[in-house]
């Protein structure tokens, strides 16, 4: 298929190599100030913002017009966290009510997205009725939509009408032969179309939609699901093309596939990528494109900060009982926003997490640094952090995810997160604690250090035996500063001029 | 001449706006088709619209009880594979 690349779109500043970027602002480096200003309160787009601002999805769009091999339309499970899963379908009126209730209770909620559980643009009446009411009643909430792109060209004008500022398109391929192995059918022009023909139409519409949005100045993020053996070798090409067409951020997410999910991939034994594979692919794409590392692949009805879900506080019966004065809430929301903006500005003014000790005077960098690492000898170190709200705040046994940082002379760089089962759930129902611990260690095996608020005696020993050094000395410190403090300590102790010791063979 | 939606329907709404005769009803526990309105899309479309977008194999049947989307036809998962995995998951 011919995919013309429109070179007239402005190219963002050349991407810095993944290993030499040297700025914790990470994926938003190299963006224009205008784009940075537009995403600075968007938790899904800005790595900085996601510690402070919350988002919510409303599940108003149940219908879908394509089938993906990683999706099963039958599932509705309260205990699962993955896209396409919801507990409660809402009407547009209910969705608006829920949004206002959440915005009043969680004033740092800055973004409302519609992401399914089907495809928002396969449910245009429900989706646009929700946006229409919210644009009117809650002008301080940013509206976004996430789509498979099939019906995008048809709805671009209407998206503009409701000031939709951000659109996410899931693009897993630009090659229909690859697409046929991911999307078995689409519904197109009143019939079901299968295989390569279906994939070709999907690819064409996605690319057209992307071009139309870019031309209208709407920010476009592209999501891709990394499917080992299917599109892994193809994704750098996807990244290059979508970037050239104006997408400003690329989010490569790992396939989630287990037999019990009932998906084609889950049932047919398609494996998910290993954390290191995902990381390598994100690095391979990073030369072409800003990459997103903090995505949590949240549910289509998620509420709260990324990595947490407060949806249970806002079920239909609960929001019916809530009395919301949105005019008053907007005043509070503005105050909260101003306060967070000041904190973020202060953090940026301090510059990327310091490679030098904080006790030393520092040069203040108003712009994210893209300077080369200082010639300090010391290899980069991967560290896992049990964090909440940007702080080393979580007990190892209670952590459901770990943030993965690469510490080097250039600073701390977030490169991903790893989900785990909490090792200590406090009851018997969550299975064998020992095997949960084994799986956690397996997920962190490439990390050299583990930072947490506290940790028990037994897991401490097991982690050490696996070559991962637990560290509870930085409890309640800011994550990036803690990571760099540990790195400095390792450097001073001479551990970083020699290879990692004690690592267990994978 | 009418189709029927059966219990495996997941109430996803995809079919409802497509029906040229407004024969589909959003009902509980699952959507339904008003038999007197359903024409199986004869005269309107080459393929029945509800069955052409429905993502659930077996959820819509014809007058003889035959699934319009038989097992394996939409997901590509062979039915025996599905049964085997269900049994494995249940046994855990």
């Amino acid at each position: 298929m011919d995919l013309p690349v429109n070179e007239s779109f402005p190219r963002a500043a050349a991407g810095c190599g993944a290993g030499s970027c040297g700025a914790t602002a990470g994926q938003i480096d190299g963006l224009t100030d205008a784009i940075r200003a537009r995403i600075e309160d968007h938790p899904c787009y800005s790595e900085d913002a996601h510690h402070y601002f919350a988002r919510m999805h409303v599940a108003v769009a149940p219908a879908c017009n394509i089938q993906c091999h990683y999706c099963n339309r039958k599932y509705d499970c309260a205990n699962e966290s993955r896209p396409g899963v919801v507990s409660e379908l809402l009407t547009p009126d209910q969705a608006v009510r829920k949004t206002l209730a959440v915005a009043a209770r969680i004033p740092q909620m800055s973004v409302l997205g519609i992401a399914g559980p089907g495809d928002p643009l396969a449910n245009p009446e429900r989706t646009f009725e929700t946006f229409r009411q919210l644009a009117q009643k809650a002008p301080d909430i940013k509206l976004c939509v996430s789509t498979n792109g099939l019906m995008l060209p048809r709805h671009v004008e209407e998206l503009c009408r409701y000031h939709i500022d951000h659109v996410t398109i899931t693009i897993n391929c630009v090659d229909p032969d690859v697409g046929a192995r991911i999307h078995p059918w689409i519904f197109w022009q009143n019939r079901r179309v299968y295989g390569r023909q279906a994939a070709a139409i999907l690819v064409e519409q996605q690319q057209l939609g992307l071009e139309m949005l870019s031309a209208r100045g709407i920010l476009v993020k592209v999501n891709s699901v990394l499917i080992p053996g299917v599109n892994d070798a193809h994704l750098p090409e996807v990244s290059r093309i979508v970037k050239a067409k104006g997408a400003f951020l690329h989010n490569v997410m790992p396939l989630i596939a287990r037999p019990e999910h009932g998906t084609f991939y889950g049932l047919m034994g398609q494996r998910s990528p290993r954390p290191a594979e995902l990381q390598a692919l994100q690095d391979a794409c990073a030369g072409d494109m800003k990459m997103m590392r903090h995505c949590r692949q949240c549910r289509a009805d998620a509420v709260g900060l990324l990595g947490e879900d407060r949806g249970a506080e806002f079920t239909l019966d609960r929001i019916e009982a809530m009395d919301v004065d949105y005019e008053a809430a907007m005043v509070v929301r503005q105050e909260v926003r101003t306060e967070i903006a000041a904190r973020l500005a202060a953090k940026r003014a301090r510059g990327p997490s310091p490679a030098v000790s904080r006790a030393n005077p520092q040069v203040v960098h108003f712009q994210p640094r893209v300077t080369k690492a200082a010639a300090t000898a010391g290899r980069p170190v991967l560290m896992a952090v049990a964090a909440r709200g940007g702080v080393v705040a979580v007990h190892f046994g209670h952590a459901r995810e770990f943030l993965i940082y690469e510490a080097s002379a250039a600073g701390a760089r977030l490169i991903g997160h790893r989900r785990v089962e909490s090792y200590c759930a406090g009851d018997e129902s969550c299975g064998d604690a020992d095997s949960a611990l084994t799986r956690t260690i397996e997920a962190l095996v490439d990390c050299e250090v583990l930072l947490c608020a506290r940790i028990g005696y037994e897991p401490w020993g097991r982690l050490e035996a696996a070559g991962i050094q637990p560290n509870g000395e930085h409890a309640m410190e800011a994550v990036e500063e803690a990571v760099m403090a540990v790195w400095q300590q390792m450097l001073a102790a001479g551990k970083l001029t020699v290879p990692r010791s004690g690592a267990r063979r994978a | 001449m009418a189709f029927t939606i059966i219990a495996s329907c997941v109430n996803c709404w995809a079919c409802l706006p497509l029906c040229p005769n407004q024969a589909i009803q959003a009902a509980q526990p699952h959507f339904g088709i008003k038999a007197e309105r359903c024409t199986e899309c004869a005269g309107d479309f080459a393929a029945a619209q509800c069955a052409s977008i429905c993502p659930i194999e077996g959820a819509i049947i014809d007058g003889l009880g035959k699934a319009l989307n038989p097992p394996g036809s939409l997901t590509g998962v062979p039915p025996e594979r599905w049964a085997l995995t269900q049994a494995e998951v249940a046994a855990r």
Side-chain angles (χ1 to χ4, degrees):
Chain A
M1 161 173 283
D2 185 30
L3 283 171
V5 172
N6 187 340
E7 289 293 349
S8 68
F9 287 112
R11 282 178 175 274
C16 40
S20 60
C21 181
T24 51
Q27 88 280 6
I28 61 168
D29 263 0
L31 297 177
T32 64
D33 286 348
I35 290 183
R36 194 175 297 120
R38 283 170 71 182
I39 64 169
E40 69 186 2
D41 59 352
H42 196 312
C44 310
Y45 286 16
S46 161
E47 186 181 314
D48 264 348
H50 93 279
H51 294 306
Y52 307 98
F53 288 103
R55 55 64 180 112
M56 70 179 287
H57 289 159
V58 284
V60 293
C64 198
N65 47 18
I66 73 173
Q67 175 71 49
C68 304
H69 275 328
Y70 44 76
C71 181
N72 171 6
R73 303 309 316 286
K74 287 178 193 166
Y75 273 69
D76 159 18
C77 176
N79 297 320
E80 271 187 41
S81 184
R82 62 193 166 95
V85 175
V86 300
S87 295
E88 212 167 31
L89 183 68
L90 306 178
T91 65
D93 289 344
Q94 290 169 330
V96 169
R97 198 178 160 81
K98 178 174 180 175
T99 306
L100 299 181
V102 171
R105 299 287 158 112
I106 308 179
Q108 67 273 34
M109 193 277 280
S110 57
V111 168
L112 178 282
I114 300 182
D119 184 74
L121 300 182
N123 303 257
E125 295 83 10
R126 299 170 68 101
T127 295
F128 287 117
E129 174 59 17
T130 308
F131 282 148
R132 189 189 63 75
Q133 288 191 37
L134 285 173
Q136 194 190 346
K137 293 180 184 169
D140 62 338
I141 299 177
K142 273 202 162 94
L143 304 176
C144 346
V145 67
S146 179
T147 177
N148 61 39
L150 183 61
M151 299 306 282
L152 185 55
R154 188 168 305 189
H155 294 295
V156 165
E157 292 308 326
E158 196 158 14
L159 288 169
C160 293
R161 193 174 313 150
Y162 301 120
H163 312 294
I164 309 299
D165 204 41
H166 307 75
V167 173
T168 296
I169 316 175
T170 298
I171 298 179
N172 296 318
C173 60
V174 291
D175 176 348
D177 287 318
V178 176
R181 297 173 64 198
I182 305 170
H183 308 287
W185 58 263
I186 66 171
F187 180 78
W188 180 247
Q189 295 177 345
N190 297 102
R191 62 194 187 96
R192 203 188 305 260
V193 181
Y194 297 86
R196 189 184 190 282
Q197 194 193 353
I201 295 167
L202 179 62
V203 167
E204 193 178 7
Q205 296 304 308
Q206 289 172 332
Q207 296 297 321
L208 180 60
L210 168 58
E211 289 168 22
M212 291 171 73
L213 290 171
S214 298
R216 285 160 180 78
I218 294 180
L219 289 180
V220 183
K221 163 169 134 275
V222 168
N223 277 352
S224 300
V225 180
L226 167 57
I227 309 156
V230 175
N231 69 350
D232 44 355
H234 180 54
L235 282 180
E237 171 78 351
V238 172
S239 209
R240 190 184 64 75
I241 287 174
V242 299
K243 160 82 183 297
K245 293 192 177 195
F248 85 106
L249 191 62
H250 192 194
N251 178 21
V252 177
M253 307 177 292
L255 170 71
I256 303 174
R258 288 188 184 180
E260 59 268 33
H261 295 158
T263 61
F264 175 87
Y265 285 145
L267 291 164
M268 302 303 278
Q270 166 68 49
R271 72 176 177 87
S272 301
R274 288 181 284 272
E277 282 178 299
L278 175 67
Q279 214 165 293
L281 194 88
Q282 288 175 330
D283 286 346
C285 294
D288 291 313
M289 182 79 170
K290 288 300 148 205
M291 297 299 294
M292 176 164 160
R293 310 281 185 154
H294 65 280
C295 174
R296 301 297 199 283
Q297 297 177 282
C298 54
R299 292 163 56 105
D301 58 2
V303 174
L305 293 167
L306 299 200
E308 72 168 19
D309 189 356
R310 297 176 59 181
E313 296 170 40
F314 301 96
T315 53
L316 270 183
D317 47 340
R318 290 192 178 193
I319 56 172
E320 289 300 331
M322 291 179 192
D323 194 20
V324 176
D325 176 353
Y326 201 71
E327 292 298 320
M330 268 203 282
V331 176
V332 176
R333 288 169 53 75
Q334 186 53 49
E335 284 166 8
V336 168
R337 192 175 290 233
T338 307
E339 187 201 314
I340 294 174
R343 275 159 74 189
L344 274 171
K347 187 180 168 204
R348 285 191 194 115
R350 284 206 305 273
S353 41
V356 289
S357 156
R358 283 197 70 204
N360 295 336
Q362 287 204 24
V363 181
V364 175
H365 296 272
F366 289 101
Q367 297 294 324
R369 291 191 303 188
V370 289
T371 48
K372 289 278 179 198
T376 320
R379 60 187 171 77
V381 174
L382 282 190
M383 301 189 195
V385 188
R388 188 185 301 123
V391 175
V392 184
V394 182
H395 186 298
F396 173 77
H398 297 164
R400 302 183 76 122
E401 65 166 19
F402 293 93
L403 303 182
I404 309 298
Y405 279 84
E406 185 191 75
S408 69
R413 185 170 72 100
L414 177 67
I415 54 172
H417 73 105
R418 310 254 167 95
R419 249 187 227 164
V420 296
E421 301 155 69
S422 37
Y423 148 68
C424 166
D427 63 31
E428 297 303 307
S429 64
C430 284
D432 184 7
D434 191 58
S435 67
L437 178 58
T438 303
R439 283 193 292 274
T440 297
I441 291 173
E442 205 60 53
L444 304 179
V445 74
D446 55 339
C447 298
E448 209 165 329
V449 174
L450 176 120
L451 284 155
C452 56
R454 297 188 65 177
I455 180 169
Y457 181 77
E458 197 214 332
W460 180 291
R462 293 275 302 275
L463 283 161
E464 250 185 358
I468 306 168
Q469 183 58 52
N471 184 321
E473 290 164 26
H474 296 272
M476 301 320 289
E477 288 179 22
V479 169
E480 289 166 8
E481 284 164 18
V483 163
M484 289 317 297
V486 173
W487 189 83
Q488 287 295 339
Q489 220 171 26
M490 292 173 81
L491 184 68
K495 289 180 183 169
L496 302 184
T497 45
V498 292
R500 177 182 177 184
S501 63
R504 194 182 61 172
R505 299 259 171 223
Chain B
M1 202 169 92
F3 295 146
T4 307
I5 295 176
I6 64 170
S8 51
C9 166
V10 296
N11 300 9
C12 82
W13 290 79
C15 57
L16 189 139
L18 297 178
C19 178
N21 304 305
Q22 290 81 48
I24 298 172
Q25 293 175 296
Q28 290 295 338
H30 61 82
F31 282 42
I33 296 175
K34 279 187 180 169
E36 68 277 15
R37 282 180 167 261
C38 176
T39 60
E40 303 184 359
C41 290
D44 288 305
F45 296 103
Q49 293 299 284
C50 57
S52 295
I53 199 167
C54 179
I56 305 298
E57 293 162 351
I60 306 178
I61 56 174
D62 67 12
L64 301 171
K66 189 166 156 276
L68 294 173
N69 295 303
S73 66
L74 301 182
T75 59
V77 178
E80 56 279 8
R81 183 67 172 253
W82 173 250
L84 188 71
T85 311
Q86 290 295 92
E88 279 173 13
V89 170
R92 281 187 207 167

